[in-house]
Amino acid sequence: MIQKTGIGVSPGAVVAEAAVLRHTALSIEHIPSDDTEGELSVLSSAYDSALSSLDSLIAVSDDEKSMLAILRTMLSDPEYLSLIRENITERKYNAAWAVEAATEKYASELDKLGDGYFSERASDIRDAGYILIESIQGFMISAFHLTKPSVLVADYLLPSEFLRMDRQYLKGLCLDGGGKASHMAILARSADIPAVFALSDFSSMVEEGAVIAVDGRDGTVVLDPQRKVLSEYRKRSDAAARDEAELKKDAGLPAETLDGYRIRLMCNIEGLEGIDGAIASGSEGIGLFRTEFLALQSDYLENGEKMDHVYQEAVERMSACGPVTFRTYDIGGDKALNGMKINEENPILGWRAVRFCMENRDMFRRQLVSILRASAYSDSVRIMFPMISGSEELREVLSFFDEVKEECRKNGTAFDENIKIGTMIEVPSAAITADILADYVDFMSIGTNDLIQYTIAVDRGNEKISYLYRPLHPAVLRLLKYVVDSAKAKGVTVSMCGEMAGDPDYLPILVGMGFDELSMSAHSILESKKRIRMLDKSCCTRFVNHVLSLSDAASVEEALKEFLDTYGKA
Ligand code: PEP
Ligand code: MG
């Protein structure tokens, strides 16, 4: 039996067999395969997905269009494809090996013809082969079919890999790296899958099929647990289900403090699958629809009608609960499109979100049109722009949005003329100029995941420095207070949609500061509502004034602990 403690990122306890995924093992193995049909089917799915990735890239890229088109032509060469198939059927190569061998044969023949034009074509074909092999290996992950309830143990997992997996048997997740505010953690919480990250070399210790107990609340995992430990984890799992059922009884009550301060609790979702959970938890709307996750898993970028339908369905299904806030694509950083190669030194500070969208205007325009069309079905659709760094950038984005609205008016596309416009506040420069940004918007929503990352210069997904990722750092608290006060002074609604909003222990501070709305995973709503109903707003306001006078995160954490001990955590 081995016990390890990492960071519990998604609550819940589970005991199941391990399914192990090691990316490091995904190099090309020259091992023959008798499963000709299986290899051909992997090839064909990977081939389709590689072509559609290239098509998406061609659609959005300006500079590299012709180079990408060459790669597409290479990949579509029937002789090349038939040589790959022959390698599988006659030589019994596995799919990746078959592509590698065919690519090398073609490329080396071209190399022999001399330098210049021919060696450039040889390098193109190697690139094309590389894309196909990447796709085969990616497809192997997406085809990581679980056939029974399992805990997935991996060195790491990309959001796009998770989204492409069939998740019906995925009962728990253990990763060697990662932090609580990483996108993978957010996805695990949204999907209600108990997860523990930052387990260092755990994946190398686990054999396929070994029994693992996971507790995503306290961050412990036990490999090959003894009978006593097993029954303890099973009890924890039953207790979590009972607590949840108990909390659900109060789903219909308002989130209101003892002295009558009402706060709107909303849900963060990544797609339509989050809506049932939002409704069941009594959510009063969607405070953050991370639309880029749809683009990561399917062909929404090319298929505008599909996007129209999804957005419209979200709005219709939520119409009895409250607004739906569509955040425009936050593509880039750790959310690269399938096949998008990011050659940036610092992608998190790089070409992402509105910076990316404003350079890919056709793609951006199509999304804005979908959001506008959805707004015709309800008067509570809201649009919000990510990664805004200051008023010039916000003005440019808003002026493009005005252009798109004007085009819609001209061609008779119905939309809500009063659609509410918001900006995310997740870059320190935006927080510090919140008083200026407030003049342009109806609401502001603080994305603490990025705001903390950029303010303290601490990567939100890096477990080695997670000790520095402190939501209660005085610098963060001062920024939050400044944004709330600036919004209030201008009569602008102020929300928080980062993960800090979903941790009920922070509520005395968020209520005391005067947030109008908090948006979180469905899982957190019930507990948060219960806690808000136990708080007194004026007492929280006094508490905020006190913590703002403290000089470091540890002192604030200590003060909050005392507050929670005194006023009840329930
Ligand atoms: C945030 O940064 O807090 C946020 C809500 O956006 P995301 O987590 O998608 O970066
Ligand atoms: Mg963000």
Side-chain angles (χ1 to χ4, degrees), residues 181 183 186 288 290 292-293 327 330 335 352 424 426 446-451 460 497-499:
H183 284 109
I186 291 168
L288 169 64
R290 289 184 166 95
E292 62 280 0
F293 282 105
R327 176 177 75 181
D330 185 10
K335 290 179 283 193
R352 53 177 290 202
M424 285 201 69
E426 49 185 348
I446 305 185
T448 46
N449 307 334
D450 280 320
L451 186 63
R460 62 195 260 190
C497 62
E499 294 306 295

Short mmCIF file of all heavy atoms in Angstrom, two decimals, residues 181 183 186 288 290 292-293 327 330 335 352 424 426 446-451 460 497-499, ligand 1:
data_model
loop_
_atom_site.label_atom_id
_atom_site.label_comp_id
_atom_site.label_asym_id
_atom_site.label_seq_id
_atom_site.Cartn_x
_atom_site.Cartn_y
_atom_site.Cartn_z
N ALA A 181 -6.10 25.92 -9.94
CA ALA A 181 -6.75 26.87 -10.84
C ALA A 181 -6.45 26.55 -12.30
O ALA A 181 -6.77 27.34 -13.18
CB ALA A 181 -6.29 28.29 -10.51
N HIS A 183 -6.83 24.81 -16.00
CA HIS A 183 -8.06 24.51 -16.74
C HIS A 183 -8.45 23.05 -16.60
O HIS A 183 -9.64 22.72 -16.60
CB HIS A 183 -7.92 24.92 -18.21
CG HIS A 183 -8.03 26.40 -18.38
ND1 HIS A 183 -6.98 27.19 -18.71
CD2 HIS A 183 -9.09 27.22 -18.20
CE1 HIS A 183 -7.37 28.45 -18.74
NE2 HIS A 183 -8.65 28.50 -18.43
N ILE A 186 -10.44 22.81 -13.49
CA ILE A 186 -11.77 23.40 -13.68
C ILE A 186 -12.68 22.41 -14.41
O ILE A 186 -13.84 22.20 -14.04
CB ILE A 186 -11.64 24.73 -14.47
CG1 ILE A 186 -10.97 25.77 -13.59
CG2 ILE A 186 -12.99 25.23 -14.96
CD1 ILE A 186 -10.52 27.02 -14.31
N LEU A 288 -20.50 32.49 -16.62
CA LEU A 288 -19.35 32.33 -17.52
C LEU A 288 -19.57 31.09 -18.37
O LEU A 288 -19.60 29.97 -17.85
CB LEU A 288 -18.05 32.18 -16.70
CG LEU A 288 -16.79 31.75 -17.48
CD1 LEU A 288 -16.39 32.81 -18.50
CD2 LEU A 288 -15.62 31.50 -16.54
N ARG A 290 -17.57 29.29 -21.02
CA ARG A 290 -16.24 29.30 -21.64
C ARG A 290 -16.37 28.71 -23.05
O ARG A 290 -16.14 27.52 -23.26
CB ARG A 290 -15.26 28.44 -20.83
CG ARG A 290 -14.84 29.02 -19.50
CD ARG A 290 -13.80 28.12 -18.84
NE ARG A 290 -13.12 28.76 -17.74
CZ ARG A 290 -13.48 28.64 -16.46
NH1 ARG A 290 -14.51 27.90 -16.13
NH2 ARG A 290 -12.80 29.26 -15.52
N GLU A 292 -14.66 28.72 -25.69
CA GLU A 292 -13.53 28.16 -26.44
C GLU A 292 -13.44 26.64 -26.29
O GLU A 292 -12.89 25.96 -27.15
CB GLU A 292 -12.20 28.81 -26.00
CG GLU A 292 -11.80 28.63 -24.56
CD GLU A 292 -12.52 29.61 -23.62
OE1 GLU A 292 -13.33 30.41 -24.12
OE2 GLU A 292 -12.28 29.55 -22.41
N PHE A 293 -14.01 26.10 -25.21
CA PHE A 293 -13.90 24.65 -25.03
C PHE A 293 -14.68 23.89 -26.10
O PHE A 293 -14.31 22.78 -26.47
CB PHE A 293 -14.33 24.23 -23.62
CG PHE A 293 -13.25 24.50 -22.60
CD1 PHE A 293 -13.36 25.56 -21.73
CD2 PHE A 293 -12.12 23.72 -22.55
CE1 PHE A 293 -12.36 25.83 -20.80
CE2 PHE A 293 -11.11 23.98 -21.64
CZ PHE A 293 -11.23 25.03 -20.76
N ARG A 327 -18.78 34.22 -22.84
CA ARG A 327 -17.46 34.84 -22.94
C ARG A 327 -16.92 34.49 -24.32
O ARG A 327 -16.92 33.31 -24.70
CB ARG A 327 -16.51 34.31 -21.87
CG ARG A 327 -15.12 34.90 -22.07
CD ARG A 327 -14.15 34.49 -21.02
NE ARG A 327 -13.72 33.11 -21.19
CZ ARG A 327 -12.87 32.51 -20.37
NH1 ARG A 327 -12.43 33.15 -19.31
NH2 ARG A 327 -12.51 31.26 -20.56
N ASP A 330 -11.58 32.48 -25.58
CA ASP A 330 -10.29 32.70 -24.92
C ASP A 330 -9.33 31.63 -25.45
O ASP A 330 -8.82 30.81 -24.70
CB ASP A 330 -10.46 32.61 -23.40
CG ASP A 330 -9.18 32.96 -22.66
OD1 ASP A 330 -8.23 33.44 -23.29
OD2 ASP A 330 -9.12 32.73 -21.44
N LYS A 335 -4.95 26.81 -24.11
CA LYS A 335 -6.14 26.35 -24.82
C LYS A 335 -5.94 26.53 -26.32
O LYS A 335 -6.68 27.23 -26.99
CB LYS A 335 -7.37 27.11 -24.33
CG LYS A 335 -7.75 26.72 -22.89
CD LYS A 335 -8.94 27.46 -22.38
CE LYS A 335 -8.61 28.87 -21.98
NZ LYS A 335 -9.66 29.54 -21.19
N ARG A 352 -3.44 35.51 -27.43
CA ARG A 352 -4.60 34.74 -26.97
C ARG A 352 -5.82 35.67 -26.82
O ARG A 352 -5.70 36.88 -26.90
CB ARG A 352 -4.30 34.02 -25.65
CG ARG A 352 -3.77 34.90 -24.55
CD ARG A 352 -3.57 34.14 -23.24
NE ARG A 352 -4.83 33.76 -22.63
CZ ARG A 352 -4.98 33.48 -21.34
NH1 ARG A 352 -3.95 33.53 -20.53
NH2 ARG A 352 -6.15 33.15 -20.86
N MET A 424 -14.06 41.10 -18.81
CA MET A 424 -13.43 40.37 -17.72
C MET A 424 -12.32 41.25 -17.16
O MET A 424 -11.69 42.03 -17.88
CB MET A 424 -12.84 39.06 -18.23
CG MET A 424 -13.92 38.05 -18.48
SD MET A 424 -13.30 36.38 -18.48
CE MET A 424 -12.88 36.12 -16.77
N GLU A 426 -9.07 40.40 -15.55
CA GLU A 426 -8.18 39.30 -15.19
C GLU A 426 -6.72 39.64 -15.44
O GLU A 426 -5.83 38.82 -15.24
CB GLU A 426 -8.57 38.00 -15.92
CG GLU A 426 -8.80 38.14 -17.40
CD GLU A 426 -9.31 36.86 -18.06
OE1 GLU A 426 -9.29 35.80 -17.43
OE2 GLU A 426 -9.72 36.93 -19.22
N ILE A 446 -14.63 39.49 -12.50
CA ILE A 446 -13.21 39.29 -12.17
C ILE A 446 -12.83 37.83 -12.34
O ILE A 446 -13.43 36.94 -11.74
CB ILE A 446 -12.92 39.75 -10.73
CG1 ILE A 446 -13.38 41.20 -10.53
CG2 ILE A 446 -11.44 39.59 -10.42
CD1 ILE A 446 -13.03 41.78 -9.17
N GLY A 447 -11.84 37.61 -13.20
CA GLY A 447 -11.31 36.26 -13.40
C GLY A 447 -10.09 36.11 -12.50
O GLY A 447 -8.97 36.46 -12.88
N THR A 448 -10.34 35.60 -11.30
CA THR A 448 -9.23 35.55 -10.34
C THR A 448 -8.16 34.54 -10.73
O THR A 448 -7.02 34.66 -10.30
CB THR A 448 -9.75 35.20 -8.94
OG1 THR A 448 -10.64 34.10 -9.06
CG2 THR A 448 -10.43 36.36 -8.29
N ASN A 449 -8.54 33.55 -11.54
CA ASN A 449 -7.52 32.53 -11.89
C ASN A 449 -6.33 33.20 -12.57
O ASN A 449 -5.17 32.96 -12.23
CB ASN A 449 -8.11 31.48 -12.83
CG ASN A 449 -9.37 30.88 -12.26
OD1 ASN A 449 -9.55 30.87 -11.05
ND2 ASN A 449 -10.25 30.39 -13.11
N ASP A 450 -6.66 34.03 -13.55
CA ASP A 450 -5.58 34.74 -14.24
C ASP A 450 -5.11 35.95 -13.44
O ASP A 450 -3.92 36.25 -13.41
CB ASP A 450 -6.03 35.17 -15.64
CG ASP A 450 -5.94 34.01 -16.61
OD1 ASP A 450 -4.97 33.24 -16.53
OD2 ASP A 450 -6.86 33.85 -17.44
N LEU A 451 -6.04 36.64 -12.80
CA LEU A 451 -5.63 37.87 -12.08
C LEU A 451 -4.58 37.53 -11.00
O LEU A 451 -3.58 38.23 -10.84
CB LEU A 451 -6.85 38.55 -11.44
CG LEU A 451 -6.53 39.90 -10.79
CD1 LEU A 451 -6.04 40.92 -11.81
CD2 LEU A 451 -7.75 40.47 -10.06
N ARG A 460 -0.55 29.50 -12.77
CA ARG A 460 -1.68 28.88 -12.06
C ARG A 460 -1.69 27.35 -12.14
O ARG A 460 -2.38 26.69 -11.37
CB ARG A 460 -3.00 29.45 -12.61
CG ARG A 460 -3.23 29.15 -14.05
CD ARG A 460 -4.33 30.01 -14.64
NE ARG A 460 -5.59 29.33 -14.74
CZ ARG A 460 -6.66 29.78 -15.38
NH1 ARG A 460 -6.61 30.96 -15.97
NH2 ARG A 460 -7.76 29.10 -15.44
N CYS A 497 -15.92 35.41 -11.47
CA CYS A 497 -16.17 34.10 -12.07
C CYS A 497 -14.93 33.20 -12.01
O CYS A 497 -14.93 32.10 -12.53
CB CYS A 497 -16.67 34.23 -13.51
SG CYS A 497 -15.47 35.04 -14.58
N GLY A 498 -13.87 33.67 -11.36
CA GLY A 498 -12.69 32.81 -11.16
C GLY A 498 -12.98 31.80 -10.06
O GLY A 498 -14.00 31.91 -9.35
N GLU A 499 -12.08 30.87 -9.88
CA GLU A 499 -12.31 29.77 -8.92
C GLU A 499 -12.41 30.25 -7.48
O GLU A 499 -12.98 29.58 -6.63
CB GLU A 499 -11.20 28.73 -9.05
CG GLU A 499 -11.20 28.02 -10.39
CD GLU A 499 -12.55 27.39 -10.71
OE1 GLU A 499 -12.96 26.47 -9.99
OE2 GLU A 499 -13.20 27.82 -11.68
C1 PEP B 1 -10.15 33.38 -14.83
O1 PEP B 1 -9.06 33.65 -15.35
O2 PEP B 1 -10.39 33.49 -13.61
C2 PEP B 1 -11.26 32.89 -15.66
C3 PEP B 1 -12.48 32.77 -15.18
O3 PEP B 1 -10.96 32.49 -16.93
P1 PEP B 1 -10.21 31.11 -17.27
O4 PEP B 1 -10.16 30.28 -16.02
O5 PEP B 1 -10.97 30.43 -18.34
O6 PEP B 1 -8.87 31.59 -17.71
#
